[in-house]
Structures are given as C-alpha cells and as structure tokens.
Amino acid sequence: MNILVLNAGSSTLKCAVIDPATGFVTWRGVAERLGTAEAGLTWSCSPNSAEHHAVPLDDASIPGACAVIAALLTDVAYAQIAAIGHRVVHGGCHFFASARIDDAVVSGISACIPLAPLHNPANLAGISTTRRLFPHLPQVAVFDTAFHQTMPEVAFRYAVPSHWYDRHNVRRYGFHGTSHRFVAQEAARRLGRPVDDVRLVTAHLGNGCSACAIRGGRSIDTTMGMTPLEGLVMGTRSGDIDPGMFAHLIRHAGIDAEAVTHSLNHDSGLLGLSGLSNDMRTLSAAADAGHEGARLAIAIFCYRLAKAIAALTVPLGGLDALVFTGGIGEHSIEVRSRTLSYLAFLGLVEDKRLNLHHGRLAEGRITAPSAACALVVPTDEELAIARDTASLVSRSPA
Ligand code: ADP
C-alpha cells in the first residue's frame, strides 16, 4: 500500500508517495515559489534516483500545483495510492489525534484559522483540492498540535486574564508534535524500553525549533506556545521575549505592532543575532572564520536550548534520554556538544567520538554510559503522516 503525503504551505507544497510499512518513497515532489511568476515543480521517482525533473507552473496556486501532481501520478503506474495524508498545522483544542477527513473535520480546521492564519488556509486548500481530484481516496489530517493536547492545565495556561482563555482560546498549544512523537517512539525502541516507560526530552531543531517533555509516551510540556514563536531561538524567530518589548518599540522606535510581529518571526533568531544568516551551516563556517555575530548567535542558541531542556526535566521528575533531531539536531556536532556542555549535572557527558559520528556508532547515543543519555534520532514527519493515515484508514474503512 502507498500513501500520498501532502504538506501544503503558503509558498511551498511538498508531497511524497510513501509505503508506510517500509518507509520506501516511490515519488517525491516539491512545488516552490507558489503565488509568484517563478513557481515551479520539481520531482524525482525514487530517493536514490539521480534523475530530477522540473516544470514551470502556469497556475501558481495550490490547486494548480495539485492538478499537475495528480496528472504526473497517473503516469506513475506503480504508485498504487490507497489514501492521502495531509499535514495540518493547527488543530486547536478540536483535535487530539489524527482524523479521517470529512466535512466536520474540514469545519474544525477552518475554525482554527484565527490561530494559524497563514498555515491553515493553505492546508485547507490542499485538502479541498485533493478531495476534488481524488474523490475515491480516503483522506486523513495529521496535526502538528494534536500530540500536545495531553499537556496538563498547569503547562498549557498562561498567567493572563482567564477570559482571554475562555473567549479567545489564548493558551499554549505546542507544535512539531508529529516529529516529537515519531522520535520518541524511535528513541524508546533504540533504548530497548517501552515508550510508556521512558522520560524523554526531544529537541526538534530545524528552521523552527522546539523541545518537548514526554512521559508515558505523552507530551506533558513543550516550548512552543499559542503560536510557533514561543520558546527556543530559531532560524528567524526570536523565541521567548519580554512582551513589554512591544510597547517599548511601539512608543520609542515608531514601529507598529504588525511590524514588530513580522520582525520577531522573520528578522530575529539566528538571523537577527548574527546579522548574517538563519542557516546553521553558514553560521558555523563564519564563526570558525572569526565572525563575531555568528559566534554570538550560536552561543545564545545553545545556551537557551540547554536552559529549556533542563526546565523540561521538572515535569518529568528526571531524565532517561535527551533526543536531538531536525536538520541542526541531526547534523551539527558543535550545537550538540555546546548544549551538552551545560548539562553534565543531569548525567549527560558528551562522548566526543560518538558525537563526531552523529551517534551512528551506538544506536544514536552520543554520551558516555550513565543513567541518562543523549541520542541523535533522525526524524521523518512524512513517514509518521503516512503511518497515521494507513492506520486510520484500515481502522475505519469508508
Ligand atoms: P526545516 O525546519 O525547514 O525542515 P531542517 O530540519 O531541514 O529545516 O533544518 C534546517 C537547519 O539545519 C538549517 O539551519 C541548516 O543549516 C541545518 N543543517 C543542515 N545540515 C547541517 C549540517 N551538516 N551542519 C549544521 N547544520 C545543518
């Protein structure tokens, strides 16, 4: 069985045809620069194939990109797609697990648009288009927020007037749930223990970054909040700030709230601190060459990450394993090393040789033997979406 996994964003649409049992990808495509005259689709027919194809998209909308993809997939006879799984960013309090898509689920996702005004409309555009193009296929929504719906009230409430929560859904939701859940299961497997039995902090470090405390296989706290802006330092997002900064900038710098919000999302984080780039590879190379801004950005990134990891051990009551994942978590020897240098008091002492090899020598482990360990576990959100889709569809046939 193959699942078509779709991740429709505001300017990019990624899709893959995946066998959920083996993780084998038979087709992968990405439509980029949607909404512009330069929109185009590139695709390849297997992960190992060097052959990449590209076409410009005359219709640069999500429905336009989906129509081209659908036409290409009918040519790929071996695709044998049994269902479609959609990544959906915000499920609010409506969704605490993945859901088989019907009109009620579409309404639930629409109701969450105020919480994710850029992402949910794009996700919905992908869903409505594939429901029209593939009416015979069951479709499933997999939410970034759903895994965190198990957080207790002490973790998800802000200390703000209660009616903001009651009337305006102002609370912490958390994101990257598909990735945190996937690597938690994989980490437990590597430790040879049931996921219900391990206390984990998972650190998903990509362009967006978040960490999560997982006990009994459930998220009990996480660093992202009502929006993906809260928490760790990220590529272009600030993470935690003093909200008093808003009034200060509006009063004294002549910037309005919209502009401050834009800068906190797009001009901050590693990019803002370094004045150079949001990309950790560029920053590492620049720091090695003596770039002060790059050095400072990496130092603050690791310091804030270590503080957040330590804080997340409080709800866990200890720690069995810290898991690094995402582009930075899986590949940056320096970020892992500097972060671990703050965490020896938790029993995490870097093994330099194991870290140098990204944990590949010891089932992901990069620390010296101890009661707690740090692991590198590659994430695969597409595979997680494919698995959820297959399992929901097999449990509830149309
Ligand atoms: P996204 O959140 O867009 O999926 P990724 O998970 O691909 O992002 O992570 C992107 C980040 O990973 C970038 O900061 C990139 O520099 C970093 N990264 C990727 N490869 C390496 C590497 N070899 N060393 C250090 N950082 C890396």
Side-chain angles (χ1 to χ4, degrees), residues 6 38 127 151 205 341:
L6 219 80
E38 288 80 46
I127 289 170
M151 285 195 291
L205 310 174
S341 72

Side-chain angles (χ1 to χ4, degrees), residues 14 204-208 278-282 284 326-328 331-332:
K14 295 181 193 157
H204 177 106
L205 310 174
N207 276 311
N278 64 326
D279 191 295
M280 190 57 84
R281 283 166 293 199
T282 308
S284 286
I328 298 172
H331 301 293
S332 174

